[in-house]
Amino acid sequence: MTKTSTTRHLINKNSSVTGKVIMELNILYCSDNNYAPYCGISMLSLLEANRKAESITVYVVSDAISDENVSRLKKTVEAYGPDRHLELVDGRQIVERLKNSGMGSYRGGQTANLRLFFPEYIKPEVHRLLYLDCDTLICDDLCDLFATPMGDHPVAAVRDALTSDYKIQYGLRAEDIYFNSGVLLFDVDNWLASDCAGELQKIFAVPEYRGANNDQDYLNRLLLGHLTLLSPRYNFQTPHYIFRDKTYFSVCPRKNYYSEEELQSARKHPAILHTYRFLGQFPWTENSLHPAAKQYRTWLARSEWSDCGIAPDVKNRLFKVERILYRTLPEAAFFRLFFKMQNKHFNSELQKRRNA
C-alpha cells in the first residue's frame, strides 16, 4: 500500500499512543437486531474490565436494531458513569451501498462489513479504534493494547486459529500471516494515509480475491505485509480453549504461528475471549457444549437482557453427528476430523464465491 495525503484534522496524535497508559478507549461494534443482546453483553464485560479508563466511547453501528434493544444498550453504558458514552450509528445507508459494491454478504447480511467504513462515523479526534465482534467477552484491561506500537501499519490483529490449509487455497503462502478479523485495532491515521478504503474497492472488483470468509479474506489480502501482530491473549479463539496445544499442533502444524508457551500464557490470562460458534453452538445456545457457556450465562444474568433467556439450539443433522463424535472420540481423532471438515467447508465456499 502506498501512502496518500489526507485532510483529516490531526489532534495531538502521538499523545494517545506513545505513553505507557492509554486512558481513553474508543470501541466499535456492528450489530443487527438479532445480535444486539450479545453485543450488549460483550459491552458489559468491556465496561466492567476497564473501570480504570478515564473515558470510554462505544460506537455501535446499527443494522436495524430495535428501539427496545437500543434502550437497553444505552442503559448498559450509562450505568458506568458520565465518562462512558454510546454513539449509535445508523448503518442503513452503508448497507445499501454495500449491496451494490460487489463485496458480497456474510451469512446473508452486510452487518459484518459495516466496520470497514468507520472513518465515516467516528469523531475526528479518534486515532486508535478497537473493533470487537459481538461474540467476544472482555476479561482484562485493554489500555496496554491501545498503546501497542504499530509503526505505519493500519491494523493490528491476531492470527486465525483454523485457516492454515485454507489460506493456501485462497492464494496466500504457508508463511504468510492470516489473521482473524473478529478483533481489529485500527490506527486511524495510518488507515487514511494508506487509502485503505480505496484499495479495498479495487480488491472487491477482482473475482479471484473472493473468499469463504468475505471481509476477513479481503482484509488479509489488503494488509499482507502491513500488519502488526498481536499476542493471542487479545483474541483467544475457541479451538485453543477446547483442544490441548499438543493436540492442536499434531493435527494442524503451522509455519510462523504462536508457540505453545505463548498460547499457554494467553490461556491463563486472556484479555479478549472470542467465543465463535463450535459444533453449531454459541455460548448462548440451549444445551451448549461451548466451553464459554457457563461464563457467558453469568454475564447474561447481570445484563439488561437477563429476561431474554437462552437461545434455542439449532436443529441440524450434521451438528448433531459432530456433537456425538465430540463426546465419544479421543480428542486428537475428533480434532483431526473436525479440522478436515472445516477446511472442506472453507474450500467449498471459496469455489462457490469465485464461480458466482
Side-chain angles (χ1 to χ4, degrees):
M1 293 183 296
T2 58
K3 293 284 185 179
T4 61
S5 62
T6 177
T7 58
R8 180 180 172 83
H9 180 52
L10 303 185
I11 302 178
N12 198 19
K13 174 185 177 184
N14 291 330
S15 66
S16 66
V17 296
T18 57
K20 291 184 178 179
V21 179
I22 304 299
M23 300 306 289
E24 298 179 3
L25 306 185
N26 290 281
I27 310 295
L28 172 63
Y29 291 95
C30 300
S31 179
D32 62 12
N33 194 54
N34 290 330
Y35 267 70
Y38 318 129
C39 174
I41 290 167
S42 176
M43 188 189 305
L44 176 62
S45 69
L46 164 80
L47 293 164
E48 184 65 29
N50 287 273
R51 287 180 173 271
K52 293 181 181 179
E54 288 182 0
S55 68
I56 300 175
T57 299
V58 181
Y59 293 86
V60 176
V61 187
S62 167
D63 185 1
I65 297 177
S66 70
D67 291 343
E68 172 63 25
N69 277 323
V70 167
S71 176
R72 295 186 189 207
L73 291 170
K74 288 180 178 178
K75 287 181 181 178
T76 299
V77 176
E78 290 168 357
Y80 282 82
D83 294 318
R84 274 54 179 156
H85 311 282
L86 176 67
E87 295 285 341
L88 192 71
V89 179
D90 188 342
R92 286 177 295 183
Q93 290 186 350
I94 301 174
V95 168
E96 290 304 313
R97 288 194 344 237
L98 281 166
K99 289 178 181 177
N100 301 314
S101 70
M103 184 175 183
S105 62
Y106 182 70
R107 292 182 179 174
Q110 295 289 349
T111 307
N113 301 329
L114 294 172
R115 71 187 112 174
L116 303 179
F117 297 85
F118 67 86
E120 297 184 18
Y121 46 75
I122 63 171
K123 295 178 180 179
E125 60 267 27
V126 175
H127 301 288
R128 288 282 172 94
L129 178 72
L130 180 65
Y131 167 78
L132 295 171
D133 270 358
C134 294
D135 58 357
T136 54
L137 290 174
I138 290 67
C139 310
D140 201 0
D141 184 284
L142 299 179
C143 289
D144 286 347
L145 172 60
F146 272 78
T148 300
M150 292 174 62
D152 62 356
H153 292 162
V155 173
V158 173
R159 295 179 188 272
D160 191 86
L162 281 178
T163 46
S164 61
D165 289 355
Y166 167 75
K167 72 177 179 181
I168 308 300
Q169 297 296 322
Y170 182 61
L172 303 179
R173 301 172 301 172
E175 62 269 24
D176 287 335
I177 293 174
Y178 183 93
F179 61 88
N180 182 280
S181 64
V183 178
L184 300 171
L185 179 63
F186 292 101
D187 186 294
V188 179
D189 302 313
N190 288 343
W191 179 273
L192 292 168
S194 298
D195 189 26
C196 289
E199 294 299 316
L200 278 172
Q201 290 293 332
K202 296 176 185 177
I203 290 173
F204 297 163
V206 181
E208 290 78 12
Y209 291 166
R210 296 173 185 165
N213 298 306
N214 208 43
D215 64 305
Q216 179 168 293
D217 287 332
Y218 288 134
L219 283 168
N220 271 277
R221 181 74 63 174
L222 171 74
L223 298 167
L224 192 61
H226 300 277
L227 178 83
T228 295
L229 193 62
L230 295 173
S231 161
R233 73 184 296 261
Y234 290 116
N235 184 351
F236 199 68
Q237 296 161 58
T238 299
H240 289 309
Y241 53 100
I242 294 174
F243 303 108
R244 293 176 297 171
D245 296 332
K246 181 179 180 181
T247 300
Y248 178 84
F249 285 110
S250 69
V251 174
C252 185
R254 308 291 296 268
K255 288 189 177 181
N256 301 325
Y257 195 63
Y258 301 107
S259 67
E260 287 191 32
E261 290 74 20
E262 288 174 301
L263 292 173
Q264 289 168 6
S265 177
R267 188 176 293 106
K268 290 178 181 178
H269 305 289
I272 301 172
L273 288 177
H274 192 178
T275 67
Y276 56 67
R277 190 169 64 171
F278 176 64
L279 305 179
Q281 296 176 318
F282 286 100
W284 55 78
T285 306
E286 184 182 17
N287 301 318
S288 179
L289 295 173
H290 199 288
K294 183 177 180 180
Q295 188 172 0
Y296 171 81
R297 292 178 190 190
T298 299
W299 284 109
L300 172 64
R302 295 180 56 179
S303 78
E304 293 290 331
W305 292 268
S306 59
D307 61 326
C308 296
I310 299 298
D313 198 359
V314 176
K315 303 300 182 183
N316 179 288
R317 182 177 296 179
L318 176 60
F319 293 152
K320 183 177 181 179
V321 171
E322 282 185 341
R323 293 168 200 172
I324 293 172
L325 294 174
Y326 176 64
R327 291 188 180 102
T328 57
L329 289 178
E331 181 183 74
F334 174 77
F335 185 50
R336 188 172 291 107
L337 179 62
F338 175 77
F339 186 66
K340 183 178 180 179
M341 292 172 66
Q342 286 289 307
N343 279 285
K344 183 178 180 180
H345 167 73
F346 286 141
N347 292 332
S348 175
E349 288 298 312
L350 174 67
Q351 295 307 315
K352 285 181 184 178
R353 287 180 179 269
R354 290 187 173 176
N355 294 331

